[in-house]
Amino acid sequence: METKQLGNTGVYVSTIGLGAMPMSLSNRPPESQSINVIQRALELGVTFIDTADSYCRDETDKHHNERLVHKALQSYNGDTSNVMVATKGGLMRPNGSWTRNGNPNHLRETIRISFEALGGNKPIDLWQYHAPDPDYTIEESLTPAKEAVRAGIIRFVGVSNFSVEQIKRARDVVDIVSVQNQYNPWQRQPEFDGVLEYCETEGLTFLPWSPFGGSRRHENLQDIPAIAQLAKTKGVSVYSIVLAWLLAKSPCILPIPGASKISSIEDSVRAVDLQLSEQEVQIIDRETAS
């Protein structure tokens, strides 16, 4: 598996990561299946796993995904010393919905619980503030992360769903190495709002969430002629084409496709060896923009 640097940290991770969210929502697969998926990803060379405290069914189930990822790593027979687990905090799951909570006291507590859920024996590799809460300033909400870095509980810090201006404010509080915003062929806001360019210029890693456009798009990628034709021509899946499109868009992009089946992660990693020409990227751009 090819690797790329996480921000300017000097730490290198796999070019394709694993999004663990599908393993912990209301329609989650059996735990044994999820563990097999995570461990298969490791066998394939994946060394970056994305999780969050809110990847769960509801508030009674909080931190489920983090504990699951830790369990899979602990029971893996191979070497996991170079595996980086990125988690997030700042979203709540009341009755299964999604709400923001940037209260510094809440974030201090959830960072502590995330640290324990991930094993409690080494710093959280990457902790990301999940989404800015308008009820609190960015400075207030990121102070707990700054404290946790100083205390050795967090190694690196990232932000999610942030604008360029918000990223700049965050960097005044604590060193930021990554940005996780929605980005796919149908939601290309990071191209237009300057976030992607800013990450490239500043050496930040960009983690695109919802790379396949959400459940509705995910189930109908075969119906997009440009994507379907490229997949047929190159002998790969439509999902590999979308991941290759992301990789072609910027060297700072690290896709984190979700998976709950072994076949899914096996398919995703194939995108690392897939090269799209500038013309092919433009064809996808034009078709999905309409």
Side-chain angles (χ1 to χ4, degrees), residues 82-98:
N82 64 336
V83 175
M84 174 167 282
V85 178
T87 192
K88 295 177 284 294
L91 291 187
M92 309 294 285
R93 299 300 312 282
N95 301 314
S97 63
W98 301 82

Side-chain angles (χ1 to χ4, degrees), residues 60-105:
T60 66
D61 193 43
K62 206 74 176 281
H63 300 274
H64 176 275
N65 200 243
E66 294 171 326
R67 295 187 178 99
L68 175 68
V69 169
H70 176 63
K71 187 172 184 179
L73 292 175
Q74 286 297 104
S75 59
Y76 183 61
N77 291 326
D79 180 20
T80 60
S81 61
N82 64 336
V83 175
M84 174 167 282
V85 178
T87 192
K88 295 177 284 294
L91 291 187
M92 309 294 285
R93 299 300 312 282
N95 301 314
S97 63
W98 301 82
T99 61
R100 303 186 183 199
N101 187 348
N103 183 308
N105 291 328

